[in-house]
Amino acid sequence: PQPHRQSDYEREEEEFVWTQIKAEARRDAESEPALASFLYSTVLSHSSLARSISFHLGNKLCSSTMLSTLLYDLFLNAFSSDHELRAATVADLRAARARDPACVSFSHCLLNYKGFLACQAQRVAHKLWNQSRQPLALALQSRISDVFAVDIHPAAKIGKGVLFDHATGVVVGETAVIGNNVSILHHVTLGGTGKAGGDRHPKIRDGVLIGAGATILGNVNIGEGAKIGAGSVVLIDVPPRTTAVGNPARLVGGKEKPKEHE
Amino acid sequence: PQPHRQSDYEREEEEFVWTQIKAEARRDAESEPALASFLYSTVLSHSSLARSISFHLGNKLCSSTMLSTLLYDLFLNAFSSDHELRAATVADLRAARARDPACVSFSHCLLNYKGFLACQAQRVAHKLWNQSRQPLALALQSRISDVFAVDIHPAAKIGKGVLFDHATGVVVGETAVIGNNVSILHHVTLGGTGKAGGDRHPKIRDGVLIGAGATILGNVNIGEGAKIGAGSVVLIDVPPRTTAVGNPARLVGGKEKPKEHE
Amino acid sequence: PQPHRQSDYEREEEEFVWTQIKAEARRDAESEPALASFLYSTVLSHSSLARSISFHLGNKLCSSTMLSTLLYDLFLNAFSSDHELRAATVADLRAARARDPACVSFSHCLLNYKGFLACQAQRVAHKLWNQSRQPLALALQSRISDVFAVDIHPAAKIGKGVLFDHATGVVVGETAVIGNNVSILHHVTLGGTGKAGGDRHPKIRDGVLIGAGATILGNVNIGEGAKIGAGSVVLIDVPPRTTAVGNPARLVGGKEKPKEHE
């Protein structure tokens, strides 16, 4: 069912990142006995990144009516069978290290970043959605929203190398699309205007940066490399490599408009 | 203690919606074995909507120091003895189906919408508040805020047919009033200005729509059918059927002002 | 390791507030049997404020991989050995009573205010951070963000008498500093602009009030007694006793600018 086999590059990347994560966890467990049991159960006892993340997500998202073992099996089945999913996870870990100055290690992101964890769980929900397992996908969305305060519809498409920084309050609608290497801060909404059904949510192209609290509404296009200022309310298309700020947002940087404020 | 007996219409509505929920849960449990146990414990094992929702809320809101059985008894006692409370629940389920394009079934809302669940729990807290059981009402408010990231003071009055969509970050103050058929998106604040005590929070009339991230402060009146744009900061009265947008918000649609932006 | 010994005033304050909390809990447990077990385990069974808050935080922040006993020991060790930490807790309890009209008692704040609890836990994480126990400090930050939706970097410095009201969605970056007697509403961000490393977050001086949803970005100075309006986006220094509002924020009150709007 995979469009192509895992490339050598992807396999090496996955192996490199997992080796790093284990080394970091070993170092931290030695220096901090209070974390040893936590690090053993979440990282060091597992034989692969897929098993580690499936265990961690299962534990975070379970409830008294939805058992961690059931979720673990669900996540492990998805991650084990789908190298694209694992490549996206690895690219997200790379993105956090590269683009978030507060990210000190791969394991820091894997274990502690609720935006990262919510995104991985949503990709599994998205897979279930496309397999016509909507009720399960929606139940997962609900658990992710309860536990991480991140509410991304399982039908939304999310690329690779995406950073959800801090992540509290992020809301992404059903027909939204997020490209590769996008950075999204907390409280960002990719929502509908309430005036249309069908394809009604924003399309965020590669390399876009969306500041804290920005609200982007409707089936608008945010072009490649565009920047959306914190607190902006965007109801219009934003051309590539252009900055939009304000409420309602106006275009201020980039090719088509002189830069006055970023 | 009820102002009037349950009407035939209310009884039929309640029965219809509960029958639908059970049919949906049965269908989903059959098509998705991974959800069967969850759906059995939350819906199919219960003899009424009151029991189902009391069990689900008790499980969601419990902690190691506040047991699910105690909460279950508390909710069940409230819902069983108060048909107005149940009618509000049914109207809220109808509202989600009618006004949220992403809501695929009544059971989807009942089981997965934290805005819906927070609102039902707040109505019970409101009942306790009016019975001079403030400490318990405030403890419930705190659990609802922890679990759902929805912080509504138990003294606030909420009408029927209300939709809290996505709901993360909603804050509603002590003297706020929300009418019937109101839709409130996530991150909405109905707060105080910090300059007054007493009656210091907004009054939201029937049929109002409040967009994501809107902040309405002070004892202002948002008239029937008004619309508040996403990200607006509203410090003034808004007349009926009028739209307010921006920071600070200005009136743009409706009878008194020409429409320039919605 | 303490810069000075606990003063008589601090000891008396701590004793007074703890005596009040026990009296409130006893009264509430008597009037509300449904809360008796909760109040016994969180307050009445403990011999000091340090033990009570350590137990409560341990229970709130624990998970299946990070046990409540481990967290209890960690918190109790910090609070028992550091009277400055306890003085900050007492000052925060005083601040909630004095500045939040909805706060009905010290125990209400201690048991129910997630902003208060997140702040106490962050101060312990800050202590760990300064003891070169970064991995544990970051794991705590993550639990606080999951459980309370409050994401404060453990390196951030927070003064005494601070009120985080409602608190959902608060984000405070690594190099931010918050002075004494500051009030911060929900959804407030003290973040970076993404354009600088190093010392890149706001400095909030004593007595500042920051309204709901305000976003303050970059290494800017918010002067003593300044007020930041709800929903503002602040990218500039704000002089003492001056009000800033809007997106982008402009100065409107205070000495240097005529007051036109607060």
Side-chain angles (χ1 to χ4, degrees):
Chain A
Q2 293 287 315
H4 58 78
R5 296 182 48 181
Q6 187 178 29
S7 70
D8 286 349
Y9 172 76
E10 280 178 359
R11 188 175 302 112
E12 281 162 27
E13 263 289 281
E14 190 180 329
E15 192 54 37
F16 172 78
V17 166
W18 175 234
T19 302
Q20 290 287 306
I21 287 169
K22 280 186 297 184
E24 295 163 5
R26 225 173 282 124
R27 179 199 63 198
D28 290 349
E30 275 166 32
S31 77
E32 180 61 80
L35 277 180
S37 161
F38 172 71
L39 290 167
Y40 182 78
S41 68
T42 54
V43 174
L44 295 169
S45 68
H46 299 286
S47 59
S48 67
L49 181 56
R51 286 181 184 274
S52 170
I53 199 169
S54 297
F55 174 86
H56 197 46
L57 286 174
N59 255 304
K60 289 265 191 186
L61 298 175
C62 71
S63 72
S64 62
T65 52
M66 202 176 289
L67 300 185
S68 62
T69 47
L70 184 149
L71 292 174
Y72 175 73
D73 288 346
L74 192 70
F75 287 121
L76 185 56
N77 184 50
F79 283 109
S80 299
S81 66
D82 186 345
H83 65 82
E84 297 267 18
L85 213 54
R86 299 199 305 276
T89 301
V90 169
D92 293 353
L93 288 164
R94 285 275 190 200
R97 295 262 0 224
R99 305 207 295 267
D100 178 2
C103 183
V104 297
S105 66
F106 291 121
S107 58
H108 178 32
C109 176
L110 173 69
L111 296 174
N112 296 330
Y113 275 32
K114 68 186 188 182
F116 169 79
L117 293 168
C119 180
Q120 308 317 305
Q122 192 276 348
R123 288 212 192 88
V124 173
H126 183 63
K127 207 173 149 76
L128 295 168
W129 184 267
N130 287 337
Q131 293 166 342
S132 297
R133 299 175 73 179
Q134 281 87 348
L136 186 55
L138 293 169
L140 262 186
Q141 176 192 8
S142 171
R143 286 304 299 158
I144 300 166
S145 179
D146 282 5
V147 171
F148 297 126
V150 173
D151 189 353
I152 308 179
H153 195 283
K157 291 179 192 146
I158 302 179
K160 296 178 185 181
V162 170
L163 171 64
F164 287 99
D165 200 3
H166 304 294
T168 304
V170 163
V171 171
V172 177
E174 183 173 2
T175 60
V177 177
I178 297 170
N180 299 316
N181 303 314
V182 168
S183 295
I184 293 179
L185 272 282
H186 50 288
H187 302 319
V188 163
T189 296
L190 308 179
T193 60
K195 287 181 282 191
D199 191 356
R200 62 197 184 279
H201 297 110
K203 310 296 176 270
I204 311 299
R205 304 304 171 191
D206 293 355
V208 168
L209 168 63
I210 308 179
T215 303
I216 309 178
L217 300 180
N219 187 3
V220 297
N221 193 73
I222 310 300
E224 205 172 320
K227 293 183 184 178
I228 309 298
S232 306
V233 177
V234 180
L235 305 163
I236 54 172
D237 287 343
V238 176
R241 283 163 297 284
T242 302
T243 297
V245 298
N247 173 7
R250 61 195 193 287
L251 307 179
V252 291
K255 280 179 182 165
E256 294 173 35
K257 292 269 173 176
K259 184 164 188 167
E260 61 185 49
H261 166 79
E262 191 168 342
Chain B
Q2 293 286 315
H4 58 78
R5 296 182 47 182
Q6 187 178 30
S7 71
D8 286 350
Y9 171 76
E10 280 178 359
R11 187 175 303 111
E12 280 162 27
E13 262 289 282
E14 191 180 329
E15 192 52 38
F16 172 78
V17 166
W18 175 235
T19 303
Q20 290 288 306
I21 286 169
K22 282 187 294 184
E24 294 163 6
R26 223 172 284 122
R27 179 199 64 199
D28 291 348
E30 274 166 32
S31 77
E32 180 61 80
L35 277 181
S37 160
F38 171 71
L39 291 167
Y40 183 79
S41 68
T42 53
V43 174
L44 296 170
S45 68
H46 298 287
S47 58
S48 67
L49 180 56
R51 288 182 182 273
S52 170
I53 199 168
S54 297
F55 174 86
H56 197 46
L57 285 175
N59 254 306
K60 289 265 190 185
L61 297 175
C62 71
S63 72
S64 61
T65 52
M66 201 175 289
L67 300 185
S68 63
T69 47
L70 185 148
L71 292 174
Y72 174 74
D73 288 346
L74 193 70
F75 288 122
L76 185 57
N77 185 49
F79 283 110
S80 297
S81 66
D82 185 345
H83 65 81
E84 297 268 17
L85 214 55
R86 299 199 304 276
T89 302
V90 169
D92 293 353
L93 289 164
R94 285 274 190 201
R97 295 261 1 223
R99 304 207 294 267
D100 177 3
C103 181
V104 297
S105 66
F106 291 121
S107 58
H108 177 33
C109 177
L110 172 70
L111 297 173
N112 296 329
Y113 274 33
K114 67 185 189 183
F116 169 80
L117 293 169
C119 180
Q120 309 317 306
Q122 192 277 348
R123 287 212 193 89
V124 174
H126 182 63
K127 205 173 149 78
L128 295 168
W129 183 268
N130 288 337
Q131 295 166 341
S132 297
R133 299 175 73 179
Q134 280 86 349
L136 186 55
L138 293 169
L140 262 186
Q141 177 192 7
S142 171
R143 287 304 300 159
I144 299 166
S145 180
D146 283 6
V147 171
F148 298 126
V150 173
D151 190 353
I152 308 179
H153 196 284
K157 290 179 192 144
I158 303 180
K160 297 179 185 180
V162 170
L163 170 65
F164 287 100
D165 200 3
H166 305 293
T168 304
V170 163
V171 172
V172 176
E174 185 174 0
T175 59
V177 176
I178 297 171
N180 299 317
N181 303 313
V182 167
S183 295
I184 293 179
L185 273 280
H186 50 288
H187 302 320
V188 163
T189 296
L190 307 180
T193 60
K195 286 180 282 189
D199 191 357
R200 62 197 185 280
H201 297 110
K203 310 297 175 270
I204 311 298
R205 304 304 171 191
D206 293 355
V208 167
L209 168 63
I210 308 178
T215 303
I216 308 177
L217 300 181
N219 187 1
V220 296
N221 193 74
I222 310 300
E224 205 172 321
K227 293 183 184 179
I228 309 299
S232 305
V233 177
V234 179
L235 306 163
I236 53 172
D237 287 343
V238 176
R241 284 163 297 286
T242 302
T243 297
V245 298
N247 173 6
R250 61 194 192 288
L251 307 179
V252 291
K255 280 178 180 165
E256 295 174 33
K257 292 269 173 175
K259 184 164 188 170
E260 60 183 49
H261 165 80
E262 192 170 340
Chain C
Q2 294 286 314
H4 58 78
R5 295 182 48 181
Q6 187 178 29
S7 70
D8 286 349
Y9 172 76
E10 280 178 0
R11 188 175 302 113
E12 282 162 27
E13 264 288 281
E14 191 180 329
E15 193 53 37
F16 172 79
V17 165
W18 176 234
T19 303
Q20 290 288 306
I21 287 169
K22 280 186 296 184
E24 294 163 5
R26 224 172 285 123
R27 180 199 62 198
D28 290 347
E30 274 166 33
S31 78
E32 181 61 81
L35 278 181
S37 160
F38 171 72
L39 291 167
Y40 183 79
S41 67
T42 53
V43 174
L44 296 170
S45 68
H46 299 286
S47 58
S48 67
L49 181 56
R51 286 181 185 273
S52 170
I53 199 169
S54 298
F55 174 86
H56 197 46
L57 285 175
N59 254 305
K60 289 264 191 187
L61 297 175
C62 71
S63 72
S64 61
T65 52
M66 201 174 290
L67 300 185
S68 63
T69 48
L70 184 148
L71 292 174
Y72 174 73
D73 288 346
L74 193 70
F75 288 121
L76 185 57
N77 185 50
F79 283 108
S80 298
S81 66
D82 185 345
H83 66 81
E84 297 267 17
L85 214 54
R86 298 199 305 276
T89 302
V90 169
D92 293 354
L93 288 165
R94 285 275 191 200
R97 295 260 3 224
R99 305 207 295 267
D100 178 2
C103 182
V104 297
S105 66
F106 291 121
S107 59
H108 177 31
C109 177
L110 173 70
L111 296 174
N112 296 330
Y113 274 33
K114 68 186 190 182
F116 169 79
L117 294 168
C119 180
Q120 310 316 306
Q122 192 277 348
R123 287 212 192 88
V124 173
H126 183 64
K127 207 173 149 76
L128 296 168
W129 183 267
N130 287 337
Q131 294 167 340
S132 297
R133 298 176 73 179
Q134 280 85 350
L136 187 55
L138 293 169
L140 263 186
Q141 177 192 7
S142 170
R143 286 303 299 158
I144 299 165
S145 179
D146 282 7
V147 171
F148 297 125
V150 173
D151 189 353
I152 308 179
H153 196 283
K157 290 179 191 143
I158 303 179
K160 296 178 186 181
V162 170
L163 170 64
F164 287 100
D165 200 2
H166 304 294
T168 304
V170 163
V171 172
V172 177
E174 183 173 2
T175 61
V177 177
I178 297 171
N180 298 317
N181 303 315
V182 168
S183 295
I184 293 179
L185 272 281
H186 52 286
H187 302 320
V188 163
T189 296
L190 307 179
T193 60
K195 284 181 281 192
D199 191 356
R200 63 197 184 280
H201 297 110
K203 310 296 177 272
I204 311 298
R205 304 305 171 191
D206 293 355
V208 168
L209 168 63
I210 308 179
T215 303
I216 308 178
L217 300 181
N219 187 2
V220 296
N221 193 74
I222 310 300
E224 205 172 321
K227 292 184 184 178
I228 309 298
S232 305
V233 177
V234 180
L235 306 163
I236 54 172
D237 287 344
V238 176
R241 284 164 295 285
T242 302
T243 297
V245 297
N247 173 6
R250 62 197 192 287
L251 308 178
V252 291
K255 280 179 182 164
E256 295 174 34
K257 292 269 172 177
K259 185 164 189 168
E260 59 184 51
H261 165 81
E262 191 170 340

